[in-house]
Amino acid sequence: MPALSGFKSFNFNEGVPYVSITSNGVTFNKSVVMKLDYPEYAVLLIDETSKRIAVQACDANTANAVQFFREKKSKVISVRWNGRDLLNTLQDMMNWNLHEGAYRVDGILLKEERAMLFDLTTASELK
């Protein structure tokens, strides 16, 4: 049995998964897309009590599924949702004013659930 059996190479291009929340939208960075394996559809899950959100990969037939990743001509790998209702919901839940500030939240991969979890209480304000 080779000494490196079971190892796999580390992808330095992925980086740290995060979501940024601004007045222009909710943007999931390249790492979120890559770690979720480029899902075409996803659902956004909101836990208002613990002030967390999660994005979970799914198929088109899942209730409340929305378009997530689709390859762009520019080859940029990210996803932006700019629905006003979503922004208002997050702003109200966190008591943020997105016209005056923007936030970044690091994600935690939930591999078994094909999801990325974001604890909004740990958000850092973007300058």
Side-chain angles (χ1 to χ4, degrees), residues 3 9 11-12 15 42 53 61 65-66 92 97 102 104 107 112 115 117 122 126:
S9 64
N11 186 347
F12 285 94
I53 63 171
N61 299 320
V66 293
D92 292 346
N97 182 341
R104 173 185 160 152
E112 297 296 316
L117 178 67
T122 66
L126 298 172

Side-chain angles (χ1 to χ4, degrees), residues 13-83:
N13 293 320
E14 282 187 17
V16 175
Y18 68 86
V19 63
S20 57
I21 303 166
T22 72
S23 62
N24 294 321
V26 174
T27 304
F28 299 96
N29 75 337
K30 170 175 85 169
S31 181
V32 173
V33 175
M34 292 175 78
K35 288 183 185 298
L36 292 177
D37 199 26
Y38 304 84
E40 187 176 352
Y41 291 92
V43 290
L44 181 69
L45 306 167
I46 299 175
D47 180 347
E48 290 188 34
T49 303
S50 65
K51 300 187 183 314
R52 298 180 303 166
I53 63 171
V55 62
Q56 184 175 37
C58 65
D59 61 43
N61 299 320
T62 302
N64 296 319
V66 293
Q67 178 88 45
F68 192 67
F69 179 72
R70 110 180 124 214
E71 193 169 332
K72 300 172 182 101
K73 290 178 187 174
S74 66
K75 301 292 184 199
V76 171
I77 300 173
S78 68
V79 172
R80 175 177 283 177
W81 289 335
N82 56 7

Side-chain angles (χ1 to χ4, degrees), residues 16-19 104-108 116-120 122-124:
V16 175
Y18 68 86
V19 63
R104 173 185 160 152
V105 184
D106 288 344
I108 299 167
M116 189 71 64
L117 178 67
F118 303 92
D119 181 349
L120 300 183
T122 66
S124 56

